[in-house]
């Protein structure tokens, strides 16, 4: 069960308490599954893109169930933008580190034994960087659309 | 196998006909969801579990975003002018497209027998060279990492573009600021009109 | 053969929705359907009959995957294209919400009249 502060039980924000309780149970599993998909991307189906979208889905579930304020407290817009940029930057830095062995995106770390978690050189690191990038950018775009939508619904009410 | 794919594809076509022709926008969005989930099943049957996972999750996000766009607004699409000329001309052109597509499809390699000129090398040497047992990830992040970095750039650009469009208050035009200084924009009504831009 | 053709029929229907419909949300739906059909066409091109997924499992000899696997290259390219489709869709929805804020309608012909 995800540990969320008690004030989010505020019935005026978000959905009903049934949804909130279910989300408390499910959210940890969703985020754990996303992390699994990212970390085991080089052994099983998955990878940075799919896992990143799953993690973003977890955050969006939190937003939809508990309202926007709580989700923004967990990951603010500045944090999302910094994570987005640092994910892209980490991917580039990993690529440039390949110049230590000769060329761009060289797999310069030892491959290790196949079927182990710590194998395949730079591929897990690249997966993690891409996952950070995809998660934070999708979360940020959802928050932007949601804030704009709130503004728009107010506009429609004013019209009526 | 082929029969199953045929059924799924026909189901997808029916779903997209409903999505295109329904008047209610919410129903159209949900029909697009049907098409996307069928596509995910087709990927799973075609031996691409990576893409099937990604398609399912992305489809959920697409539905959330599209429903967010339609639910606060008027959600019935009223086609005011039924334009017979454009309907008939588009039908003719798309019919021609389909005829040529049918001719071109005959020249493609038969279904189930891919050429595999580049990929056979990846398949043979992929696990040794990259160390990843998932060959798709090996191609994505080792053999063809340039492609991936290009696609990451495209994603970044589209997100930044959406932010720029959604930003609440843009910078003022230099011309407007000058006008405000001179006093042309003193009138409240004109100001309100300009704020819309 | 017929499967390729059906994927192209799906493409044409998305294109028709993009060209002939007046509503902006319908146009976005058309672009989405077009994108689905292209992804499906690329994956269909790489299928080998009776093929397995290109993932090496424990105890599977490496020569076997080179003989029986489906083509992994289109899969790697389509995987990123799906996520990019999501980003582009968010961009399109942002543009169309801005248009709604300004013109109070989704109808493209009405927007054209109002603009003039």
């Amino acid at each position: 069960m995800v540990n969320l502060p008690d004030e989010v039980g505020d019935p005026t924000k978000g959905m009903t308490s049934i949804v909130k309780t279910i989300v408390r149970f499910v959210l940890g599993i969703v985020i754990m599954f996303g992390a699994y998909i990212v970390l085991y991307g080089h052994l099983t189906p998955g990878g940075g893109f799919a896992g990143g979208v799953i993690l973003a889905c977890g955050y969006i579930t939190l937003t939809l169930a508990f309202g926007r304020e709580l989700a923004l407290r967990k990951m603010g817009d500045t944090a999302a933008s910094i994570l987005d940029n640092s994910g892209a930057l980490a991917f580039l830095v990993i690529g440039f580190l390949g110049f230590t062995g000769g060329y761009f995106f060289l797999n310069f770390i030892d491959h290790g034994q196949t079927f182990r978690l710590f194998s395949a050189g730079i591929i897990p690191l690249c997966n993690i960087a891409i996952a950070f990038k995809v998660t934070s950018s999708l979360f940020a775009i959802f928050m932007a659309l949601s804030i704009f939508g709130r503004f728009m619904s107010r506009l429609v009410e004013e019209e009526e | 196998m082929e029969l199953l794919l045929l059924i799924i594809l026909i189901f997808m076509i029916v779903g997209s006909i409903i999505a295109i022709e329904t008047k209610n926008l919410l129903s159209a969005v949900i029909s697009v969801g049907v098409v996307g989930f069928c596509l995910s099943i087709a990927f799973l049957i075609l031996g691409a579990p990576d893409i099937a996972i990604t398609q399912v999750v992305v489809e959920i996000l697409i539905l959330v975003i599209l429903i967010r766009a339609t639910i606060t607004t008027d959600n019935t699409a009223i086609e005011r002018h039924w334009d017979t000329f454009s309907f008939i001309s588009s039908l003719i052109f798309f019919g021609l497209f389909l005829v040529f597509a049918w001719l071109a499809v005959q020249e493609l390699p038969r279904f189930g027998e891919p050429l595999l000129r580049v990929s056979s090398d990846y398949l043979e040497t992929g696990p040794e060279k990259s160390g990843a047992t998932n060959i798709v990830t090996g191609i994505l992040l080792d053999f063809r990492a340039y492609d991936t970095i290009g696609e990451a750039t495209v994603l970044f650009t589209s997100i930044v573009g959406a932010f720029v469009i959604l930003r609440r208050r843009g910078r003022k035009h230099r011309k407007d600021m000058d006008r405000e200084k001179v006093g042309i924009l003193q009138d409240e009504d004109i100001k309100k009109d300009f704020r819309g831009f | 053969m017929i499967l390729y053709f059906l994927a192209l029929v799906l493409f044409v229907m998305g294109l028709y929705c993009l060209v002939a419909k007046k509503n902006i949300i319908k146009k976005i739906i058309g672009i989405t359907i077009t994108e689905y059909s292209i992804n499906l066409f690329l994956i269909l091109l790489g299928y080998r009959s009776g093929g397995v997924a290109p993932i090496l499992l424990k105890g599977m000899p490496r020569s076997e995957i080179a003989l029986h696997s489906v083509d992994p290259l289109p899969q790697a390219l389509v995987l990123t294209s799906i996520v990019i489709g999501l980003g582009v869709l968010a961009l399109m929805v942002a543009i169309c919400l801005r248009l709604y804020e300004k013109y109070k309608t989704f109808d493209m012909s009405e927007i054209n009249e109002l603009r003039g």
Side-chain angles (χ1 to χ4, degrees):
Chain A
M1 189 134 134
V2 184
N3 189 16
L4 292 168
D6 273 345
E7 69 216 74
V8 302
D10 184 7
T12 56
K13 284 174 187 159
M15 296 188 178
T16 60
S17 64
I18 299 172
V19 179
K20 285 181 180 173
T21 313
I22 297 289
V23 167
R24 271 169 201 257
F25 278 109
V26 164
L27 190 64
I29 300 171
V30 168
I31 289 182
M32 206 162 65
F33 181 64
Y36 165 79
I37 290 274
V38 172
L39 291 178
Y40 280 79
H42 55 295
L43 301 176
T44 52
F49 285 100
V53 184
I54 291 174
L55 287 173
C57 268
Y59 272 108
I60 286 171
T61 317
L62 189 68
T63 314
L64 291 177
F66 286 97
R68 202 167 50 235
E69 288 77 17
L70 180 83
L72 277 179
R73 217 182 305 153
K74 295 273 173 200
M75 183 155 90
D77 48 350
T78 326
S81 132
I82 288 173
L83 271 180
D84 187 1
N85 299 339
S86 61
L89 199 64
F91 192 39
L92 258 182
V93 164
I94 291 168
F96 273 114
L97 280 180
F99 276 119
T100 54
Y103 54 89
F104 200 48
F105 274 118
L106 173 69
N107 201 340
F108 61 94
I109 305 177
D110 184 31
H111 290 172
Q113 204 178 350
T114 45
F115 299 115
R116 302 294 294 272
L117 179 57
F118 294 105
S119 68
I122 63 167
I123 291 179
L125 299 175
C126 285
N127 266 332
I128 291 168
I130 288 176
F132 270 117
K133 187 183 156 34
V134 171
T135 307
S136 47
S137 58
L138 289 183
F139 177 69
I141 195 70
F142 179 78
M143 290 315 286
L145 280 175
S146 139
I147 290 169
F148 194 77
R150 174 68 61 84
F151 171 76
M152 276 218 359
S153 59
R154 216 174 52 217
L155 201 93
V156 171
E157 278 166 16
E158 275 174 16
E159 284 283 307
E160 283 160 1
Chain B
M1 186 66 82
E2 238 176 282
L3 189 69
L4 195 56
L5 272 175
L6 205 65
I7 292 168
I8 287 174
L9 259 166
I10 289 171
F11 197 67
M12 279 170 73
I13 289 175
V14 172
S16 55
I17 287 175
I18 294 172
I20 290 168
E21 291 302 332
T22 319
K23 289 276 186 286
N24 193 332
L25 284 181
L26 205 55
S27 318
V29 168
I30 290 166
S31 306
V32 170
V34 169
V35 178
F37 287 124
C38 286
L39 181 63
S40 162
I41 297 172
F43 284 154
L44 198 59
I45 291 170
L46 287 168
D50 303 79
I51 309 178
I53 292 174
T54 317
Q55 177 67 37
V56 168
V57 196
V58 164
E59 188 57 45
I60 292 167
L61 269 184
I62 284 179
L63 282 184
V64 170
I65 288 177
L66 276 179
I67 287 176
R68 193 80 189 87
T70 53
I71 204 160
T72 52
T73 58
D74 53 340
N75 53 7
T76 42
I78 306 155
E79 299 285 332
R80 307 225 162 157
H81 329 282
W82 176 249
D83 200 346
T84 317
F85 174 72
S86 83
F87 178 72
I88 291 175
S89 57
S90 56
L91 271 194
I92 289 172
F93 278 112
F94 292 143
L96 271 178
F97 177 89
L98 282 182
V99 169
F100 284 115
W102 175 252
L103 294 177
V105 156
Q106 309 293 327
E107 304 294 322
L108 287 173
R110 289 170 53 81
F111 179 71
E113 298 162 13
L115 288 178
L116 285 175
R117 243 179 237 143
V118 184
S119 317
S120 60
D121 193 36
Y122 291 154
L123 281 173
E124 278 161 13
T125 63
E128 283 87 12
K129 273 188 183 167
S130 67
T133 53
N134 183 354
I135 298 174
V136 176
T137 311
I139 291 174
L140 196 70
L141 293 175
D142 195 324
F143 293 107
R144 286 183 171 261
Y146 274 118
D147 286 354
T148 310
I149 209 164
E151 313 240 15
T153 315
V154 176
L155 182 64
F156 186 73
T157 313
S158 66
I159 298 290
V160 168
F163 266 118
V164 169
I165 288 165
L166 285 177
R167 195 169 51 185
R168 196 58 234 125
R169 192 169 298 166
R171 283 205 196 88
K172 275 186 180 173
H173 274 287
R174 183 172 292 275
K175 211 163 57 178
D176 290 351
M177 281 166 70
D178 288 349
R179 275 191 200 166
E180 230 169 16
K181 253 183 228 159
V182 179
I184 299 175
L185 274 184
Q186 288 295 331
D187 197 0
E188 274 300 313
D189 290 340
I190 303 177
K191 249 186 191 173
K192 205 180 285 171
D193 280 352
F194 264 89
R195 214 169 290 153
F197 283 92
Chain C
M1 221 49 46
I2 187 76
L3 288 175
Y4 295 156
F5 186 70
L6 283 182
L8 287 173
V9 168
L10 204 60
F11 175 82
V12 163
M13 284 169 45
L15 213 59
Y16 167 73
C17 185
L18 178 61
V19 171
K21 292 292 168 182
K22 294 286 197 297
N23 195 297
I24 308 179
I25 297 281
K26 282 288 177 73
K27 281 179 195 283
I28 292 177
I29 286 172
I31 292 177
T32 314
I33 290 173
T34 313
E35 185 195 312
Y36 287 165
S37 78
I38 295 297
N39 289 342
L40 180 63
F41 185 68
L42 285 174
I43 297 294
L44 280 174
L45 274 178
Y47 182 69
R48 190 192 304 217
S49 42
V52 295
I55 292 163
L56 198 63
L57 298 176
K58 258 183 192 173
M60 186 190 272
R62 291 193 182 179
S63 57
E64 192 184 333
I65 200 150
L67 288 178
H68 296 313
S69 165
V70 300
D71 194 347
L73 188 54
Q75 294 191 16
L77 300 183
V78 165
L79 183 64
T80 48
S81 121
I82 290 174
V83 179
I84 284 175
L86 182 55
V88 173
L89 182 107
L91 179 63
M92 288 188 293
V93 167
I95 291 173
C96 113
L97 286 181
R98 270 286 178 203
L99 279 174
Y100 188 85
E101 184 204 8
K102 190 171 173 192
Y103 294 107
K104 309 282 183 301
T105 177
F106 276 142
D107 199 331
M108 208 62 211
S109 57
E110 217 173 298
I111 287 175
N112 276 334
E113 283 166 17
L114 283 173
R115 203 181 55 193

